[in-house]
Amino acid sequence: MDGSRNSLGVISKSGHWLVLDVDGQACAIASGQVRQIRRSDGIVALPGRNPCYPGLLAWQGRPLVVLDLGACLGRRPSLGLLAARVLVCQLEGECCALVVDAVRGFHREASGESQRITVSPGLPPPWSAMTALLPLSLAADGEVCALLHLPTLWDDCLSLMPLMPEVAPYTASPAASQEPDS
C-alpha cells in the first residue's frame, strides 16, 4: 500500500480521515471528499419513511438524496440523534449526503507509520466498502476505525435499497439530480 492502485482506487500510506460514529462503531472517510458538515435539520422527508432514505436535502440549488449510514449498515438509524450530522460529500462530479450519529474529528496518518489492518475482500455490501481497519492512537481501549471507500459505500447502499419512485429521479445521474421530474 505505497500509493499503488487497487480495485478501489489509489490508496496511499498517509491519509487524512474524518472520523465519525455510527451506532457506537468508529468509521472514517477520506476528509478530502467532505464538502460540508451540517446539522441534520433541513431534510425533507420522503413518502414511505424508509429509514435508509430519510429524505432529500437542498444543497447549492440542487436536491441530494440523503442516506442514513447507520440504517444502511444494518445498525440503528442516525437521524434524530441530537449530535447527528449530515456530511455533504463529493463523488467524482456528483454530491451525496450521509447522516451519521456524530463527527469525532480528523485523524491524520503519518507517512511511513501506517498501522492499517487490511481487510480481506468478500464482505457483503455495504460493508464491502471497508478497505481497512485503523487503530485509533487516541483510544486507550484499542478501538479500531473502519476505513470506508465512499464511492463504493454509496453504490453499495443504493444497490441494496429497493429504489422508491420518489428517489429515482435524484439517483439516476448528476444531470437528473438538477432537473427532477414533476
Side-chain angles (χ1 to χ4, degrees):
M1 291 212 169
D2 57 353
S4 60
R5 182 172 282 281
N6 66 16
S7 64
L8 296 176
V10 176
I11 306 293
S12 64
K13 276 195 173 180
S14 65
H16 297 249
W17 303 97
L18 180 64
V19 180
L20 42 108
D21 279 327
V22 178
D23 193 22
Q25 169 67 53
C27 296
I29 59 174
S31 62
Q33 294 175 309
V34 179
R35 297 293 166 251
Q36 187 176 36
I37 301 171
R38 302 171 55 132
R39 296 179 59 86
S40 61
D41 55 352
I43 296 174
V44 178
L46 290 169
R49 305 281 190 225
N50 185 324
C52 296
Y53 294 119
L56 300 174
L57 176 71
W59 190 73
Q60 295 187 354
R62 59 185 160 174
L64 300 179
V65 173
V66 177
L67 293 181
D68 187 307
L69 192 53
C72 289
L73 293 176
R75 302 184 75 119
R76 177 192 32 76
S78 299
L79 193 61
L81 297 176
L82 186 58
R85 294 293 181 258
V86 176
L87 309 178
V88 176
C89 302
Q90 185 76 35
L91 295 174
E92 303 170 4
E94 60 182 293
C95 291
C96 67
L98 295 172
V99 178
V100 300
D101 287 9
V103 173
R104 288 191 189 184
F106 293 97
H107 177 84
R108 181 174 182 259
E109 286 182 277
S111 182
E113 295 179 21
S114 178
Q115 296 181 3
R116 290 185 199 179
I117 303 163
T118 305
V119 175
S120 298
L123 291 172
W127 288 105
S128 55
M130 184 170 49
T131 61
L133 296 173
L134 177 67
L136 295 175
S137 57
L138 299 177
D141 60 355
E143 182 180 22
V144 294
C145 178
L147 300 182
L148 301 174
H149 182 258
L150 190 56
T152 303
L153 178 69
W154 182 257
D155 290 344
D156 284 357
C157 288
L158 289 179
S159 72
L160 290 175
M161 309 306 153
L163 270 185
M164 299 176 352
E166 298 82 4
V167 176
Y170 305 103
T171 60
S173 70
S177 68
Q178 295 184 17
E179 294 287 332
D181 295 333
S182 312

